[in-house]
Amino acid sequence: MDVLIVEDDDAMAGALTAAVESAGHHPQRLSRGADALLSHRKFQVILLDLGLPDMDGLEVLRKLRQITDVPILILTARDDERSVVLGLRSGADDYLVKPVKLVELLARIEAVTRRAGRRRGTPQEVIVLDDVEIDLARRSASKAGQPLALTATEFELLALLARHAGSVVTREQILDALWGDAFLASSRSLDVHLTGLRAKLQKPGFIINVRGVGYRVEAAEP
C-alpha cells in the first residue's frame, strides 16, 4: 500500500517511514497539513499527526473527511480524553498516542484497511441507471443504446455521481476528484461542465441539485 505520513517531527517521521517500509508498504512523508489535502488521492492509508506547523491536525482531518473515505489513523502526543473523542468523532478510523509501538501501529494499519476493503467491495466496471449505461473501464457512456459525446471532464463527473447513485456527492468531493483541490478549485468550472452534461443527457430530474450541499443522481437500476 501507499501510505501517507503527515508528521513534522523528523525523528518520528523517520521511525514511521522505516516501520512502514519494513512491512512492505510504500511511505511518503509530508510535514504540512495543506500539502496532505493536495496529495491524499495517491494513498490507501493516512497517518496524521495533530500538531502540524501550518494548521491543526483536527482541521486537516475534518477537511479530508469532506472529500475522501480513505482510512486515517491519528498519531499524536495528545492523550487526554477530549482529544481522543474529538478525533474519532471527526472521522478518524483509529487513534494512537505517541510513543507508539511500531508492531501495534502496523497491526492497526492492517485492521483499518481490511475494514475499508469490506466497505468498498468489488468495484463495478459498468453502471446502468435507467437507460444510461456508463462503462468505467472503456470510459464511455450511452443513453438508450446511443453513445453520448461527453468531454473527459463530463464523463468523470457522470461516473462520480453514478458510483454514488442515490447519495449526495458534495461540491467539495467533486472539485477534489476532478480538479485536485476541493478548497481552491473554481466552482464556476463545475457549473459549466454540469450544464453541458445535463444538456447531453436530456434527462430532467436525473441529476438533482441538493441546495447548499451538492448533487445526487436519482435513478433506479433496471
Side-chain angles (χ1 to χ4, degrees), residues 2-124:
D2 293 311
V3 180
L4 175 60
I5 299 170
V6 189
E7 170 63 65
D8 68 328
D9 182 272
D10 291 338
M12 176 60 68
L16 293 173
T17 297
V20 169
E21 285 180 335
S22 72
H25 304 308
H26 308 287
Q28 179 178 330
R29 181 261 181 122
L30 297 173
S31 59
R32 299 174 69 252
D35 294 333
L37 293 174
L38 290 172
S39 304
H40 69 89
R41 287 171 303 282
K42 299 182 289 184
F43 301 93
Q44 286 77 56
V45 182
I46 298 174
L47 307 182
L48 176 65
D49 181 28
L50 295 185
L52 300 173
D54 61 329
M55 57 198 302
D56 188 80
L58 286 175
E59 182 183 356
V60 178
L61 173 62
R62 293 187 190 105
K63 287 188 172 184
L64 283 171
R65 276 293 168 253
Q66 293 178 39
I67 52 182
T68 181
D69 61 356
V70 66
I72 301 174
L73 292 85
I74 289 177
L75 299 177
T76 181
R78 301 181 196 174
D79 60 354
D80 59 286
E81 184 178 353
R82 180 176 179 275
S83 293
V84 175
V85 171
L86 273 176
L88 295 174
R89 285 183 175 173
S90 297
D93 293 270
D94 211 335
Y95 193 109
L96 296 171
V97 177
K98 299 174 183 176
V100 60
K101 294 180 180 178
L102 298 181
V103 173
E104 179 184 2
L105 170 63
L106 294 175
R108 298 284 189 95
I109 290 175
E110 290 181 10
V112 297
T113 53
R114 214 167 29 239
R115 291 199 299 267
R118 285 198 295 267
R119 288 198 302 265
R120 294 186 183 114
T122 303
Q124 291 175 269

